[in-house]
Amino acid sequence: MTTAPAASGRTTDAALGVLHEIEDRVLWLSSAIVHHANRVRPNPSGLKVGGHQASCASMVSIMTTLWFRHLRPEDRVSVKPHASPVLHALNHLLGELDASHLTTLRAFGGLQSYPSRSKDPDPVDYSTGSVGIGATATIWGALARRYAVGGVPAGRQYALVGDAELDEGAVWEAVLDPQVAELGELVWIVDLNRQSLDRVVPNIAAGRLHGLFAAAGWQVLTLKYGTLLEELFARPGGQELRERIDAMSNPEYQRLLRCPAADLRDRLPGTGPGAPAITRLLTDTDDSTLMAAVRNLGGHDLAALDGALSEIDDDRPTVIFAYTVKGHGLPTQGHPQNHSSLLTEEQMTELADRVCADPARPWQGFAPDSAAARLCTEAGERLRRDAVAEALPPALPTDIGRTPTGVATTQAALGRVLLDLTRSAPEAARRVVTVSPDVSSSTNLGGWVNKVGVWSPTERVDWFADDAETILHWRERPTGQHIELGIAETNLVGLLGELGATWSRWGQPLLPIGVLYDPFVQRALEPWSFGIYAGGQSILVGTPSGVTLAPEGGAHQSITTPSLGLEQPGCTTWEPAFALDTEWTLLAALSRLGRADGGSAYLRLSTRPVDQGLARVPADPAARERRRRQVVAGAYPLLRSPGARVTIAAMGALVTEALAAAERLQGLGVPADVVCVTSPGLLYRALDARAGHGEAADWILDQVFPAERATPLVTVLDGHPHTLAFLATLHRVPARRLGVTRFGQSGSLEEVYRHHGIDTDGIVAAALDLTQ
């Protein structure tokens, strides 16, 4: 990649002069961090290491101004993924990161590719990396802080966003949620460099983006041109120059950044009616000023940035569109393919000379008695935070003591347990917060919502409070414990992640539960997974689920969700078959939230009515406790038949069919054991631990699948059969795996189960195939 002409334009203000010196050092350090990872550190494998010097460079001015002029210890900042070296450079200058870490970008155990709360050694407020999530995290972080801490918002939630991130639909789902317009502590700064990974974005989108944010109730500030360009615009011919640049396409403007002064004089006037006036203006402008002016966008002008950050209105969200040049200050600036480009050794030496750095000692600090060193020390002391005091959630019961009877569903059991918790463990219940995307009533949270109310920053009038026919009472107040969002699953899990991180952010542990229809869990998986990675601990409840949603048709029948427990790090999955199983697993999941050694959970529930007598809950207290431990650990024996010749391992709603099949098999002279699997993930971990991989208690395998009862195995679930396929490897027995592998049909439960071969007939036939 060829070198673009160098240029510099600086103000003379003394304070800004020191800030420019720090800005230069941040540019050098962020570039050197990436350079060292790719060109200095040994790389025996030869695989690309990567890094984004150009993406860092476009953010240097913004981040330098924010950290050294405006940031406070109570503020939090989400840094765009590819600018992580800038964050580490700032933390180093502020005394929060030792120089030894600067050589470890993307090395094993070193600085992460993108900012990570859980893995980076220096302060990181928000984990970013999945495009769009870092931006929206600040919305949910602001909401979670208000819920957990209450009172007047303390501290702003800044998001430093690449303009290409605004292509993500999840961004607009979040921005348009009605509650967001009330979050005055929210500030987004958009790095408007008009480039994506592959190209210069062809159309000028700033006006459209301005309108979208303004329509959503945001304050919109635009930093397009810097001081030097504004001075040119004030001269004769300046208005024509402004109009000419304003009308340019993004690619045409970017091309100017790669031109020497002579070419600029030829290209810049254009062919319109203002060309003669622009030509005269340029004739009176020297080459150095011209070269600096064309790069003098608002996002690189420290004085302009300082002014914009001072204009933030804390009564509503704010977005600042800061026009920038990708690669600003580097020889690759403005090149359409500079996204992942790396400076050469020669270019790094030239950069060092220009910013007064020493390539031989790249991490050297400022002279101790210099103004820059003093400013770094002062800023570091000002921004230093006290450690968050650990506070564990109140103790939870393991068994509320209720034994359900009659016919019930696991979905209804969810609401029942939450209400029981308010009586049996009120302190813990006050830490519970439920979230749903407009499905509270249809997921059996109505009673809970009536009991605890709906959270709102301010109390609102319930105009239906005196309506006798209103069943679900929507009482909105600051003490409410249910948060209702619009129909957007990514918003749900984004908020869950931040509610689940309040224990580490604010020292206020919460017990967040998000409820949505199981068919739509897959929409939410990626941002939920990222929230878990970032330290958010929550419970996701998918209900109703599976082809058991027979009348809903194939489009609303979830297939792959049961295997989440096998595949999602930091998460335990339970799919209870009975109401009491739901209680025990929910309490177990709640007990793992809001603590350093905790984790998230996913519960898959059903609307299928099941005879609770089939659970055969032991009456003896010791036997009941044994059953509870087995349920929580992943499985329990539901039926033991003398001389069993086959084992049926069933999960969730299909336990009913498994028991019916066992009864028929007994009549055919093929006694069967029935095992109720509640968590395939926990069983898989136990099996893996038994083989010497990982750490997990494996006692459950001996209690539920003892070697002396090893028989051919039929596994069956309302989901993909691979979820339970691994069970056959425990004793290396023949197996048939029944489940759902294709889109379903509408129909009755019996018809749909038969269609997929998971009905009683299908189980009986599979068992006979294995035993006769």
Side-chain angles (χ1 to χ4, degrees):
M1 191 171 290
T2 57
T3 300
S8 62
R10 296 296 167 95
T11 64
T12 57
D13 179 88
L16 284 180
V18 178
L19 204 59
H20 279 305
E21 189 177 350
I22 293 175
E23 176 190 30
D24 281 345
R25 187 58 56 91
V26 173
L27 176 63
W28 165 257
L29 287 172
S30 59
S31 300
I33 289 170
V34 178
H35 177 76
H36 189 280
N38 286 272
R39 301 198 188 277
V40 179
R41 193 172 66 221
N43 182 11
S45 70
L47 292 174
K48 173 188 172 183
V49 176
H52 302 84
Q53 290 171 326
S55 294
C56 287
S58 67
M59 288 297 301
V60 165
S61 306
I62 295 170
M63 293 176 69
T64 300
T65 307
L66 179 59
W67 258 259
F68 283 88
R69 287 293 184 96
H70 292 270
L71 207 59
R72 301 164 300 175
E74 62 267 28
D75 298 332
R76 298 294 183 269
V77 187
S78 173
V79 177
K80 79 171 188 177
H82 292 164
S84 66
V86 182
L87 176 61
H88 299 311
L90 286 165
N91 281 335
H92 172 62
L93 292 176
L94 296 171
E96 295 285 358
L97 184 67
D98 187 78
S100 61
H101 293 290
L102 303 182
T103 62
T104 67
L105 179 70
R106 302 191 175 205
F108 185 79
L111 298 176
Q112 298 301 294
S113 305
Y114 311 119
S116 172
R117 289 189 72 223
S118 57
K119 294 181 180 294
D120 275 321
D122 54 332
V124 174
D125 293 332
Y126 287 96
S127 294
T128 60
S130 190
V131 174
I133 289 179
T136 57
T138 56
I139 291 177
W140 313 124
L143 205 62
R145 191 208 168 280
R146 286 201 184 194
Y147 182 93
V149 181
V152 178
R156 291 173 177 167
Q157 307 290 316
Y158 289 95
L160 308 181
V161 187
D163 54 351
E165 288 192 76
L166 298 183
D167 291 343
E168 284 288 340
V171 168
W172 300 105
E173 288 182 350
V175 166
L176 293 175
D177 191 273
Q179 298 185 72
V180 176
E182 300 177 4
L183 301 176
E185 65 268 41
L186 191 63
V187 180
W188 286 13
I189 304 174
V190 180
D191 171 19
L192 200 67
N193 61 47
R194 296 168 287 183
Q195 283 187 237
S196 60
L197 190 150
D198 292 326
R199 61 174 183 162
V200 177
V201 179
N203 297 319
I204 301 172
R208 176 170 53 88
L209 294 172
H210 184 292
L212 288 169
F213 277 101
W218 291 51
Q219 176 190 25
V220 183
L221 303 174
T222 300
L223 279 175
K224 189 167 187 179
Y225 302 121
T227 305
L228 189 55
L229 260 179
E230 291 289 356
E231 289 175 354
L232 280 182
F233 294 155
R235 300 179 189 178
Q239 182 58 33
E240 289 80 359
L241 177 61
R242 182 193 292 272
E243 293 171 358
R244 163 76 172 125
I245 295 177
D246 281 346
M248 280 184 185
S249 68
N250 293 337
E252 182 181 5
Y253 180 80
Q254 293 285 103
R255 184 64 185 90
L256 297 179
L257 303 175
R258 310 291 301 169
C259 292
D263 284 353
L264 275 178
R265 296 180 187 282
D266 182 54
R267 291 171 179 260
L268 198 50
T271 58
I278 298 173
T279 300
R280 288 191 295 272
L281 172 62
L282 299 185
T283 300
D284 296 333
T285 305
D286 62 78
D287 286 355
S288 177
T289 301
L290 178 59
M291 294 289 289
V294 80
R295 292 160 178 77
N296 183 225
L297 299 181
H300 301 301
D301 190 300
L302 300 183
L305 285 163
D306 190 51
L309 289 167
S310 300
E311 293 177 21
I312 293 171
D313 177 3
D314 286 324
D315 292 327
R316 53 179 171 155
T318 296
V319 60
I320 300 173
F321 288 108
Y323 280 71
T324 61
V325 174
K326 195 166 185 173
H328 184 261
L330 302 180
T332 57
Q333 60 186 328
H335 194 285
Q337 280 87 51
N338 67 5
H339 183 78
S340 297
S341 65
L342 298 170
L343 301 190
T344 65
E345 293 283 358
E346 181 181 359
Q347 290 171 332
M348 285 295 293
T349 300
E350 293 172 355
L351 175 62
D353 289 341
R354 183 161 59 82
V355 299
C356 301
D358 184 354
R361 294 186 294 173
W363 323 120
Q364 183 181 24
F366 295 112
D369 59 346
S370 66
R374 287 194 296 273
L375 182 56
C376 288
T377 300
E378 292 167 4
E381 292 174 352
R382 171 173 52 83
L383 294 175
R384 198 143 294 130
R385 302 170 184 161
D386 295 331
V388 176
E390 183 176 0
L392 294 176
L396 284 146
T398 57
D399 186 346
I400 292 174
R402 182 189 296 274
T403 302
T405 57
V407 175
T409 73
T410 55
Q411 177 179 291
L414 169 69
R416 178 77 263 171
V417 173
L418 291 177
L419 286 174
D420 284 344
L421 202 60
T422 63
R423 292 183 286 271
S424 62
E427 289 301 315
R430 277 191 280 272
R431 294 280 177 173
V432 173
V433 52
T434 56
V435 187
S436 71
D438 199 35
V439 292
S440 302
S441 55
S442 57
T443 54
N444 283 90
L445 287 183
W448 164 259
V449 172
N450 285 343
K451 174 76 174 178
V452 301
V454 178
W455 181 82
S456 173
T458 57
E459 188 154 355
R460 293 174 178 166
V461 176
D462 179 9
W463 294 104
F464 289 87
D466 59 349
D467 187 337
E469 295 183 4
T470 297
I471 299 174
L472 180 62
H473 299 288
W474 212 252
R475 301 186 182 96
E476 298 179 86
R477 55 200 178 203
T479 58
Q481 291 179 241
H482 176 75
I483 301 177
E484 189 86 359
L485 300 173
I487 304 174
E489 286 76 15
T490 56
N491 287 353
L492 169 83
V493 296
L495 179 54
L496 273 185
E498 291 305 318
L499 289 168
T502 57
W503 65 274
S504 59
R505 288 197 194 282
W506 319 112
Q508 293 289 338
L510 296 176
L511 308 177
I513 303 172
V515 181
L516 74 166
Y517 290 169
D518 197 68
F520 308 133
V521 165
Q522 291 181 103
R523 290 186 191 174
L525 278 184
E526 192 260 346
W528 189 52
S529 174
F530 205 85
I532 294 174
Y533 169 81
Q537 299 170 0
S538 62
I539 298 172
L540 190 64
V541 178
T543 183
S545 61
V547 301
T548 300
L549 276 171
E552 295 285 346
H556 285 80
Q557 295 173 354
S558 52
I559 295 172
T560 62
T561 50
S563 62
L564 279 180
L566 302 175
E567 299 153 1
Q568 175 59 53
C571 170
T572 301
T573 292
W574 284 285
E575 183 166 348
F578 300 102
L580 190 54
D581 297 355
T582 305
E583 175 192 309
W584 287 338
T585 54
L586 179 61
L587 292 174
L590 286 168
S591 70
R592 300 181 68 243
L593 301 180
R595 52 198 312 131
D597 59 347
S600 295
Y602 163 66
L603 269 65
R604 190 174 190 250
L605 305 183
S606 173
T607 50
R608 183 184 181 184
V610 174
D611 178 3
Q612 298 303 299
L614 296 176
R616 298 176 169 85
V617 179
D620 180 83
R624 178 186 174 104
E625 172 59 15
R626 185 172 187 268
R627 164 71 70 85
R628 187 200 65 80
R629 291 181 68 244
Q630 291 173 337
V631 167
V632 171
Y636 59 95
L638 189 54
L639 174 66
R640 292 294 198 207
S641 299
R645 295 176 54 197
V646 67
T647 299
I648 303 170
M651 192 161 78
L654 290 183
V655 166
T656 299
E657 275 62 37
L659 289 169
E663 184 177 353
R664 283 175 50 183
L665 286 167
Q666 183 71 33
L668 294 172
V670 183
D673 284 348
V674 177
V675 171
C676 181
V677 175
T678 55
S679 176
L682 289 177
L683 295 183
Y684 183 84
R685 292 175 210 171
L687 186 59
D688 223 23
R690 176 161 292 186
H693 306 292
E695 295 183 3
D698 63 357
W699 58 266
I700 188 64
L701 301 176
D702 294 327
Q703 290 192 9
V704 179
F705 298 101
E708 63 271 16
R709 298 192 72 87
T711 62
L713 179 67
V714 177
T715 62
V716 59
L717 73 153
D718 186 356
H720 199 284
H722 89 276
T723 306
L724 298 178
F726 71 91
L727 289 175
T729 67
L730 175 58
H731 297 302
R732 296 182 174 87
V733 295
R736 283 290 307 278
R737 295 159 290 274
L738 306 181
V740 181
T741 58
R742 60 193 187 276
F743 290 117
Q745 302 285 338
S746 294
S748 68
L749 203 61
E750 294 77 10
E751 290 170 324
V752 172
Y753 280 2
R754 187 180 308 116
H755 173 72
H756 292 285
I758 56 175
D759 59 342
T760 303
D761 284 351
I763 299 171
V764 169
L768 294 176
D769 285 346
L770 290 171
T771 58
Q772 295 182 359

